[in-house]
Amino acid sequence: MKPVIALFSLSILLSTFDAAPVMAKDGSAVQLGPRPFFLMKGLEDGELKEALKQCESGPFYKSDFSIGHRGAPLQFPEHTEESYRAAARMGAGILECDVTFTKDRELVCRHSQCDLHTTTDILLKPEIAASCSVPFSPADAASGKKAEAKCCTSDITLEQFRQLTGKMESSDRDATTVEQYVGGNPGWRTDLYSTRGRLMTLAESINLFEELGAKHTPELKSAGVAMPFEGDFTQEDYAQKMIDAYKAAGVPADRVFAQSFNPADVAYWIANEPDFGAQAIYLDGRFRNGIDPEDAATWTPSMEALKSGGFNYIAPPLWMLVKTGDDGRPAPSAYAKAAKKAGLEIIAWTVERSGTLTSGGGWYYQTIADITNNDSDTLVLLDVLAKDVGVAGVFSDWPATTTYYANCMGL
């Protein structure tokens, strides 16, 4: 990922489309579908809308600014081959495998070590579900008890993992049957593409991303079990094993952006795998501790301390980077300004994950909820993140939107 260079004059906007669309190794060109154009049409008349309209005819190309978050999970089951291929076709230059491990310590792509009950069909396969940490139990309206289950990758072997099919992340806590429980999909997502969802190991994702011509951003997920696992598989072993997978596949370090919410993981890579550590991404989870993006006293360690420790990339949620500006548009937060001043590259997450934005946008838009009332505000936020905050890339659940913006702005 490279720092964003603002190219906003009309002549430059038009010149970015002189080249042919980038083809992946599988021969597919970038195709964006209708959503970016739907969002653009809903923008208020003005400079941004006019600039974006100049790019309607394409052609479109891959951009590292556009990062496929778990693939393209707005409509495809996350971390599946189908989701990854969709994201690449929408121009995501970088794709994400969230990395966790099975009972036999094989690395696989799942957002959480213990999410199989909500992201796969494991509960519909009793012979495998029998291994779940918490078997399914139905809701009981009389007592107020909610349905529950907990199935972890570490509960099952790789052989069992391969027998599962990915589905849209969902569950119905009021369910009285397994069949009801595995439903509950939000109305703004779809199950149309959930009939096929091939789960992937880390090694398989590496091969696929190389085939698709995309770079890699694996996230080392927090273990859902006590570490060291079974007494001898330490956190450091886990962090090293993830990097070893890329080395074994012959993927150059400059094509890999390893991520973790655990700063100790990033520090480990910096110390032990410096080529990979140089562009490792610290996912800033300090929002869980009540961080205030306008109060530097709540950022510990400071931006300067992170930079001096060898950290080069920081990735907070969208809302930590913006506030409502005096002009009624999003503006950079104090947090965003401090990160840039310290020399940290910023990655933002996650657009297209909130459903409709007509009522403030929910969690990801909480600091600009008062000016978020239109789905097209996605493009307004992207514009501010690129021009004013200066982010290096944006995670998206539907990369076509981010790709369209990036292509138009020469990113």
Side-chain angles (χ1 to χ4, degrees):
M1 276 178 272
K2 298 179 180 178
V4 171
I5 301 174
L7 303 175
F8 299 112
S9 72
L10 180 57
S11 61
I12 293 177
L13 288 174
L14 294 174
S15 71
T16 62
F17 295 99
D18 291 340
V22 173
M23 292 277 192
K25 293 179 182 178
D26 66 355
S28 60
V30 171
Q31 302 171 13
L32 300 185
R35 183 158 178 79
F37 307 94
F38 169 79
L39 294 178
M40 181 175 61
K41 184 176 181 180
L43 284 171
E44 293 183 3
D45 290 341
E47 183 179 340
L48 176 60
K49 186 170 185 175
E50 286 305 308
L52 293 175
K53 281 179 67 66
Q54 304 301 319
C55 312
E56 285 183 291
S57 60
F60 303 106
Y61 56 89
K62 288 186 185 296
S63 170
D64 288 355
F65 186 82
S66 179
I67 307 171
H69 178 243
R70 315 185 200 179
L74 181 65
Q75 294 195 43
F76 289 84
E78 64 187 48
H79 293 306
T80 61
E81 178 181 353
E82 293 76 11
S83 189
Y84 290 139
R85 287 190 181 277
R89 191 172 292 274
M90 286 185 262
I94 303 173
L95 298 175
E96 179 188 47
C97 168
D98 288 334
V99 179
T100 187
F101 57 87
T102 62
K103 186 175 180 62
D104 43 356
R105 306 179 190 187
E106 296 295 332
L107 300 184
V108 296
C109 300
R110 286 290 90 200
H111 177 65
S112 168
Q113 189 166 40
C114 296
D115 71 1
L116 295 180
H117 52 291
T118 59
T119 65
T120 77
D121 62 351
I122 188 170
L123 294 177
L124 299 175
K125 297 184 174 178
E127 69 284 1
I128 303 177
S131 300
C132 289
S133 296
V134 178
F136 171 76
S137 62
D140 181 74
S143 65
K145 176 184 175 298
K146 295 293 186 180
E148 62 177 347
K150 181 181 178 181
C151 303
C152 307
T153 57
S154 51
D155 292 335
I156 62 175
T157 65
L158 178 60
E159 180 182 358
Q160 292 172 310
F161 179 83
R162 291 189 187 281
Q163 297 175 49
L164 305 179
T165 298
K167 72 175 188 70
M168 297 301 284
E169 180 185 21
S170 60
S171 62
D172 182 354
R173 297 294 309 281
D174 293 321
T176 57
T177 67
V178 165
E179 289 75 15
Q180 292 172 341
Y181 182 83
V182 299
N185 198 24
W188 43 270
R189 287 182 174 157
T190 179
D191 283 319
L192 285 175
Y193 302 105
S194 293
T195 55
R196 295 193 303 272
R198 178 178 170 247
L199 303 191
M200 306 206 79
T201 66
L202 173 60
E204 289 168 343
S205 79
I206 292 172
N207 291 336
L208 177 63
F209 296 178
E210 288 293 293
E211 173 194 333
L212 295 171
K215 296 177 183 177
H216 311 254
T217 185
E219 180 188 337
L220 193 74
K221 300 303 297 186
S222 299
V225 293
M227 298 293 278
F229 179 58
E230 296 184 337
D232 62 350
F233 186 56
T234 67
Q235 185 67 26
E236 292 76 14
D237 293 335
Y238 180 27
Q240 185 62 53
K241 187 165 185 168
M242 187 181 87
I243 298 301
D244 287 345
Y246 291 90
K247 295 166 71 174
V251 179
D254 63 3
R255 289 181 53 79
V256 181
F257 298 85
Q259 318 168 62
S260 180
F261 277 101
N262 181 2
D265 293 334
V266 178
Y268 174 86
W269 293 323
I270 292 169
N272 296 279
E273 292 288 353
D275 290 343
F276 289 89
Q279 54 189 34
I281 300 170
Y282 169 43
L283 297 165
D284 195 345
R286 291 177 291 180
F287 59 83
R288 301 185 184 100
N289 300 321
I291 193 171
D292 180 350
E294 296 302 317
D295 182 1
T298 66
W299 319 333
T300 304
S302 68
M303 301 298 183
E304 293 77 13
L306 289 170
K307 183 64 178 178
S308 65
F311 288 52
N312 292 318
Y313 285 86
I314 192 167
L318 299 173
W319 62 267
M320 286 172 57
L321 294 171
V322 290
K323 63 180 181 179
T324 298
D326 294 337
D327 60 356
R329 280 173 49 88
S333 66
Y335 173 104
K337 293 176 182 178
K340 294 300 289 185
K341 183 178 180 180
L344 293 169
E345 295 291 351
I346 303 172
I347 312 295
W349 49 273
T350 305
V351 297
E352 300 283 39
R353 190 162 181 80
S354 303
T356 178
L357 304 185
T358 55
S359 300
W363 189 83
Y364 286 94
Y365 290 78
Q366 59 188 276
T367 51
I368 54 171
D370 57 328
I371 55 172
T372 301
N373 54 28
N374 185 317
D375 291 341
S376 300
D377 287 334
T378 299
L379 293 171
V380 175
L381 179 56
L382 281 172
D383 194 49
V384 170
L385 291 173
K387 292 180 183 178
D388 302 331
V389 176
V391 300
V394 179
F395 281 94
S396 175
D397 275 15
W398 199 246
T401 301
T402 307
T403 299
Y404 186 91
Y405 178 86
N407 284 190
C408 252
M409 300 303 181
L411 306 179

